[in-house]
């Protein structure tokens, strides 16, 4: 995937150690209010750089008014270009993000590209060998349900692209059978959260009509993004 999809450290002094540890077990949740309905996502604590960066951007209002500028049916929906909020109909979008990247935080096989996964967009391997993430562009996976034959083919592709380091476990394969997703991206992009409510909204968005650049013909906007937990 092209990028088309720093750390906020919150230091709390004077609190008991037990209270801090208890807080660390909680997961941040973000509500994306869109033209087509609400999408609620939870952020993983195992990817703290991406979690804190996303929270900071949400709190700053960065995503408010931006578009899902790249949508591919049976694949994913992508947003996070701040200039898209002012883009005219048919204008090229997806080229802008704040001028920094995030180190990859790939926690595979625990987190993978199942349907509903929230992940960071990035530049391709040939210009981004460390697989660093875009500062702001993200995508939400929809994908397809996969057969054994398809997953075997994906595994062959993954073996070539990851030097045999990314293996689809039986548990992961079962998830792709039952739920679906985009396994060909596993182990190569940072998955930092997942949809916990509003997957039907993601479904409707990913089926919308798009132009030759995969931009929806009718703008689909994130009206507001806010922390709810």
């Amino acid at each position: 995937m092209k990028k088309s999809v720093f750390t906020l450290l919150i230091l709390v002094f004077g609190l008991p150690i037990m209270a801090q540890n208890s807080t660390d077990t909680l997961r941040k949740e973000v509500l994306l209010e869109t033209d087509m309905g609400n999408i609620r996502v939870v952020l993983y604590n195992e990817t703290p750089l991406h979690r804190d960066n996303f929270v900071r951007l949400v709190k700053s209002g960065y995503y408010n008014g931006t578009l899902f500028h790249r949508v591919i049916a049976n694949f994913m929906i992508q947003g996070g270009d701040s200039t898209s909020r002012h883009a005219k109909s048919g204008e090229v979008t997806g080229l802008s993000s704040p001028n920094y990247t995030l180190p990859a935080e790939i926690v595979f096989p625990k987190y993978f590209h199942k349907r509903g996964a929230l992940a960071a967009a990035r530049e391709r391997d040939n210009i981004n060998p460390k697989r660093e993430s875009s500062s702001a562009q993200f995508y939400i996976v929809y994908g397809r349900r996969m057969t054994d034959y398809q997953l075997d083919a994906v595994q062959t592709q993954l073996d070539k692209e990851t030097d045999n380091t990314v293996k689809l476990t039986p548990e992961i394969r079962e998830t792709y059978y039952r739920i679906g997703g985009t396994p060909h991206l596993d182990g190569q992009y940072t998955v930092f959260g997942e949809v916990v409510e509003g997957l039907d909204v993601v479904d409707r968005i990913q089926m919308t009509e798009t132009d030759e650049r995969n931009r929806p013909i009718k703008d689909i906007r994130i009206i507001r993004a806010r922390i709810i937990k």
Side-chain angles (χ1 to χ4, degrees), residues 72-107:
I72 302 177
N74 299 309
F75 183 25
M76 60 88 222
I77 65 176
Q78 184 170 333
D81 175 1
S82 64
T83 65
S84 68
R85 62 170 57 88
H86 305 300
K88 297 177 181 179
S89 178
E91 186 177 342
V92 176
T93 53
L95 303 179
S96 178
S97 289
N99 190 28
Y100 63 91
T101 57
L102 297 172
E105 294 181 294
I106 298 170
V107 188

Side-chain angles (χ1 to χ4, degrees), residues 156-227:
T156 298
Q157 178 183 349
L158 287 173
D159 288 344
K160 293 178 180 177
E161 294 180 352
T162 68
D163 295 326
N164 296 297
T165 60
V166 173
K167 299 294 183 181
L168 303 177
T169 67
E171 294 78 14
I172 290 174
R173 290 176 68 104
E174 178 66 22
T175 299
Y176 285 130
Y177 299 146
R178 293 186 299 102
I179 298 173
T182 57
H184 65 283
L185 301 178
D186 281 344
Q188 301 166 83
Y189 292 78
T190 296
V191 176
F192 65 97
E194 65 182 272
V195 174
V196 292
E197 187 177 315
L199 196 55
D200 58 322
V201 177
V202 178
D203 185 9
R204 291 198 296 273
I205 294 174
Q206 61 96 27
M207 288 302 294
T208 195
E209 183 183 3
T210 59
D211 64 17
E212 67 278 6
R213 298 185 183 90
N214 300 311
R215 176 179 169 178
I217 299 297
K218 182 179 179 181
D219 287 345
I220 302 173
R221 196 172 300 276
I222 298 173
I223 300 168
R224 180 170 66 150
R226 58 188 175 94
I227 308 297

Side-chain angles (χ1 to χ4, degrees), residues 34-48:
T34 84
D35 289 335
M36 298 185 70
N38 293 345
I39 303 169
R40 182 163 62 96
V41 298
V42 65
L43 308 180
Y44 298 145
N45 292 331
E46 295 89 340
T47 53

Side-chain angles (χ1 to χ4, degrees), residues 54-69:
F54 197 69
V55 166
R56 179 177 63 81
L57 292 173
V58 168
K59 286 183 174 179
S60 74
Y62 175 90
Y63 293 110
N64 296 348
T66 60
L67 304 178
F68 283 106
H69 62 266

